[in-house]
Amino acid sequence: MNILVLGGGGREHAITWALAKSARTDELFVAPGNGGTADIAQNVAGLNAEDGEAVLAFVQQHAIDLVVIGPEAPLVAGVADVLRAAGVAVFGPDAQGAQLEGSKTYSKEFMEANGIPTARYGSFTELEPALAYVRELGAPVVVKADGLAAGKGVVVAMSEQEAHDAIDMMLEGHTFGNAGARVVIEDFLDGEEASFIVMVDGENILPMATSQDHKRLLDADQGPNTGGMGAYSPAPVVTPDIHAQVMREIIRPTVQGMAADGIRYTGFLYAGLMISHGADGKPIVRTLEFNCRFGDPETQPIMMRVKSDFSEIIEAGIDGKLDSVEVEWDRRTALGVVCAARGYPAHPEKGAVIEELPENTAEQMVFHAGTALNEEGLTVVSGGRVLCVVGLGESIAAAQKSAYAAARQVKFDGMQMRSDIGYRALNR
Ligand code: AMP
Ligand code: GLY
């Protein structure tokens, strides 16, 4: 089977790595790929992964049997629609389904219509009514650019002034271009976050192992929001009861709501959760956001735990047969630490040579994200999140120890990493 993976981040390296292990895989392409995928697959540099017709031409030229779309941008751009219409087997939702991530307003309206628990909100294109709504909700309050903003479009404002500045910057300052021409303003929710990722085949749902991500740049969840500085799986905050509650209150109503709207959702579906407890001690689970894809960096530790042939699972997802497969999970914990470039997230500096990397073993893996090979064949920094170093261990503490032992061997100028990935699970 020939496979094409679209994307070039750490998520795509991890997915490609899982597919490369399958005996069923013949040729494996990644577009554009990165310095890590170059070792296990063929990187396709010239292909624009957001151009459906160009991807289709590549698929036909290289007799690709299966396409996996990693990032949100090609999904929102409708690449899956073009491929599916041409009869290509593709895992990833159509543009309409991808609106769950592509438009926060769409996503909130969908949740409201389907009774899915989430924060109270308003959606605005004009400054005055937006500011009035901020006064009504009071601080802290959350301001979100409606469209895709590469994880930078959310401001958790601790004061009304901060919220005003964020709204002004999006609506009037056009900081996020069209993505910020509409803003969603919502209640601040307190609690512990978790990532809940499932595979959907239009009807059946196959949950992936649970995980938790660390969005802030600095230790103890301080500093600016990032795409994610580390993640681990499983996440003990998602107890079996909470897992059942999330399936019942959020995931099943979402898949059924999509189907009722005539959208056959096929692909990964990611609900960002906020978990808290009511006065009666009962868990309250609310949706912060939906993503129409796998998480990054959650994919990296989750793929470390997959023991099944992942190509079979993805094929079952495309064929509507997720009810007939099971993923065998490594019962150990996997924990991933992101090594980021100097200046990340605001102004990541590119170009530093990666001087040292630990060996990959069955218990430790370095997944690449923002890396590329330069003309001399050296691996250099080419993006903000550079690597994710994952360790497996019998406990969260052991996984943490293993991941950091490997991550400390990584050497490049300006490297930033958190030293406390997994602390919430350790403190439980
Ligand atoms: P999102 O892209 O919507 O997941 O937002 C990015 C991050 O902002 C989340 O992971 C949360 O840490 C935070 N966030 C988003 N919405 C809320 C909310 N309503 N209350 C508190 N924090 C939020
Ligand atoms: N790690 C957060 C995300 O993938 O959106």
Side-chain angles (χ1 to χ4, degrees):
M1 186 164 59
N2 298 334
I3 306 180
L4 169 66
V5 177
L6 296 184
R11 166 184 48 220
E12 287 77 25
H13 187 191
I15 290 174
T16 304
W17 173 76
L19 295 171
K21 288 194 290 188
S22 169
R24 305 164 71 233
T25 302
D26 296 315
E27 294 219 73
L28 185 53
F29 298 91
V30 193
N34 61 36
T37 58
D39 285 340
I40 54 173
Q42 299 177 55
N43 284 353
V44 186
L47 179 61
N48 176 1
E50 290 168 38
D51 177 344
E53 295 300 335
V55 174
L56 178 59
F58 183 91
V59 162
Q60 288 166 340
Q61 205 176 347
H62 294 269
I64 301 291
D65 302 295
L66 175 67
V67 180
V68 183
I69 305 183
E72 62 279 14
L75 293 166
V76 171
V79 172
D81 308 55
V82 176
L83 296 177
R84 219 167 259 131
V88 177
V90 52
F91 196 63
D94 288 351
Q96 241 189 323
Q99 281 301 300
L100 273 184
E101 175 168 4
S103 165
K104 303 248 186 222
T105 302
Y106 173 88
S107 165
K108 296 294 278 192
E109 283 170 355
F110 176 85
M111 286 192 255
E112 203 168 38
N114 291 282
I116 296 162
T118 187
R120 183 166 55 133
Y121 79 104
S123 171
F124 304 91
T125 53
E126 302 292 332
L127 190 61
E128 274 315 315
L131 298 182
Y133 192 63
V134 165
R135 284 192 293 275
E136 187 185 324
L137 293 186
V141 63
V142 182
V143 178
K144 302 183 175 184
D146 184 74
L148 295 183
K152 293 178 194 140
V154 176
V155 176
V156 179
M158 297 321 284
S159 66
E160 287 187 21
Q161 186 58 49
E162 215 183 309
H164 287 197
D165 293 347
I167 295 166
D168 199 45
M169 161 189 101
M170 292 180 198
L171 290 184
E172 308 283 307
H174 309 291
T175 318
F176 300 116
N178 259 345
R182 179 181 280 282
V183 296
V184 164
I185 298 170
E186 66 181 39
D187 265 338
F188 173 83
L189 301 178
D190 219 351
E192 183 168 349
E193 285 183 54
S195 309
F196 202 100
I197 302 162
V198 301
M199 289 171 73
V200 183
D201 66 9
E203 187 182 344
N204 304 294
I205 300 164
L206 181 67
M208 298 286 94
T210 60
S211 60
Q212 190 178 61
D213 164 22
H214 298 57
K215 290 228 166 75
R216 301 296 190 106
L217 180 70
L218 305 173
D219 282 3
D221 295 328
Q222 302 296 307
N225 253 324
T226 70
M229 292 299 292
Y232 60 92
S233 169
V237 63
V238 184
T239 60
D241 281 351
I242 290 181
H243 195 282
Q245 186 175 345
V246 173
M247 289 298 289
R248 192 171 63 237
E249 295 179 359
I250 297 173
I251 302 293
R252 275 190 214 110
T254 300
V255 175
Q256 285 160 3
M258 286 270 123
D261 289 346
I263 302 170
R264 190 187 150 77
Y265 191 103
T266 305
F268 298 105
L269 173 67
Y270 171 139
L273 306 177
M274 189 64 92
I275 301 169
S276 59
H277 289 85
D280 56 3
K282 285 209 183 102
I284 301 170
V285 184
R286 282 177 288 201
T287 314
L288 290 179
E289 61 160 351
F290 282 119
N291 294 320
C292 58
R293 51 170 176 80
F294 220 130
D296 191 340
E298 293 92 327
T299 307
Q300 292 85 317
I302 291 177
M303 283 300 134
M304 272 298 266
R305 297 186 56 217
V306 173
K307 294 172 92 172
S308 313
D309 182 332
F310 205 59
S311 72
E312 283 179 13
I313 309 286
I314 288 186
E315 272 202 316
I318 294 171
D319 297 340
K321 292 183 183 153
L322 283 180
D323 56 340
S324 68
V325 292
E326 240 176 283
V327 182
E328 193 193 337
W329 298 103
D330 191 317
R331 55 177 180 74
R332 290 175 294 177
T333 294
L335 184 141
V337 178
V338 169
C339 305
R342 179 188 283 127
Y344 179 73
H347 305 287
E349 221 173 81
K350 298 180 186 176
V353 174
I354 300 179
E355 291 153 34
E356 274 179 57
L357 282 177
E359 287 289 324
N360 289 327
T361 68
E363 274 81 39
Q364 284 175 354
M365 269 295 302
V366 179
F367 291 108
H368 289 234
T371 73
L373 300 178
N374 73 6
E375 281 141 26
E376 294 148 60
L378 298 173
T379 305
V380 295
V381 171
S382 66
R385 289 190 291 176
V386 182
L387 305 162
C388 180
V389 182
V390 183
L392 269 175
E394 291 293 336
S395 62
I396 182 88
Q400 191 189 51
K401 199 170 160 204
S402 156
Y404 275 105
R408 275 191 287 270
Q409 295 173 45
V410 174
K411 281 203 177 58
F412 63 85
D413 184 43
M415 176 171 129
Q416 312 185 62
M417 75 176 174
R418 279 180 61 157
S419 70
D420 66 347
I421 302 302
Y423 80 95
R424 286 181 195 274
L426 271 177
N427 290 345
R428 283 180 85 79

